[in-house]
Amino acid sequence: MMHIIPALLSPAQVRQCREALESAPWVDGRLTAGHIAVKAKSNLQLAEDDPVAVRLGEFILSVLAKSPYFIAATLPLRVLSPRFNRYEGGGAYGNHIDNAIFSVPGSPDRVRSDISATLFFSDPDEYEGGELVIEDTYGTHQVKLPAGHMVIYPGTSLHRVTPVTRGTRYAAFFWTQSLVRDDGDRALLLSLDRAIQDLGVAAPDHPALSQLAGVYHNLLRKWSDT
Ligand code: NI
């Protein structure tokens, strides 16, 4: 399922990140593209070990760790450090599906990209084009969100970024390996989680609440890999 997590970052946090991004040393995004993706990709990225990328990446990870919506929707096992891209002057990224497995720099760990995420650092009126177009079994979604908002979507999705024909589009992107690899199973757990939260408000003393919470945990136990 695709989810939009609004206002993950406050306007002040976006401003601070933007200042750092605007003066960072950008490099050709094709340096990190595989041999198929390289033909489709035309953007700029920060090197993974760039100090700005490392610092902002750690900051975003700390925000994600406190986001109930992100945690409930992704059930994260491992979150790869965010990367950063910049599109301008007609830059685009044609249709592709992200790599399935990523290695963690400086460690033997690998992360399966169950969930892709894009966190926007430019407001929609700052640039023309630059829509993230995601195709899933329910059709095509065009995503262009205010700065500080984030979209998450299944890593299995075909997606692209349309050419940025005016202005500059800054974003962070990263992948999450979920405790529950199946997108449909995760969607069921999120739906149950939300129903339990609502019931907790409407009928906090109802005995069925603890039964339902037990069902949630037993399904999570059944479906999760650690
Ligand atoms: Ni992609």
Side-chain angles (χ1 to χ4, degrees), residues 163-224:
V164 172
T165 54
R166 177 186 66 79
T168 301
R169 173 196 192 270
Y170 291 96
F173 61 103
F174 61 92
W175 296 274
T176 300
Q177 179 170 343
S178 178
L179 288 161
V180 176
R181 75 186 291 169
D182 183 82
D183 185 58
D185 292 347
R186 274 198 312 277
L188 282 175
L189 286 169
L190 179 62
S191 174
L192 181 55
D193 184 27
R194 285 179 168 167
I196 291 168
Q197 304 291 336
D198 288 351
L199 261 184
V201 173
D205 300 321
H206 200 290
L209 250 183
S210 56
Q211 273 181 291
L212 283 171
V215 170
Y216 178 89
H217 288 292
N218 286 334
L219 285 174
L220 184 55
R221 198 182 335 272
K222 196 180 175 73
W223 290 339
S224 59

Side-chain angles (χ1 to χ4, degrees), residues 41 85 87 93-99 102 116 118 132 153 155 157-161 173 175:
K41 194 175 184 186
N85 59 24
Y87 290 84
Y93 198 163
N95 264 335
H96 66 280
I97 289 174
D98 295 336
N99 287 349
F102 288 88
S116 301
T118 296
L132 172 62
Y153 56 99
S157 314
L158 185 69
H159 58 282
R160 64 182 177 274
V161 176
F173 61 103
W175 296 274

Side-chain angles (χ1 to χ4, degrees), residues 101-181:
I101 305 289
F102 288 88
S103 46
V104 179
S107 98
D109 297 345
R110 285 178 293 180
V111 173
R112 190 182 62 232
S113 54
D114 296 325
I115 299 148
S116 301
T118 296
L119 170 60
F120 289 77
F121 280 106
S122 300
D123 275 316
D125 61 1
E126 292 184 87
Y127 59 99
E128 213 75 59
E131 284 89 5
L132 172 62
V133 182
I134 304 166
E135 295 183 15
D136 71 12
T137 51
Y138 287 93
T140 301
H141 310 273
Q142 297 226 10
V143 184
K144 188 170 181 174
L145 301 174
H149 293 219
M150 184 168 81
V151 61
I152 57 177
Y153 56 99
T156 50
S157 314
L158 185 69
H159 58 282
R160 64 182 177 274
V161 176
T162 65
V164 172
T165 54
R166 177 186 66 79
T168 301
R169 173 196 192 270
Y170 291 96
F173 61 103
F174 61 92
W175 296 274
T176 300
Q177 179 170 343
S178 178
L179 288 161
V180 176
R181 75 186 291 169

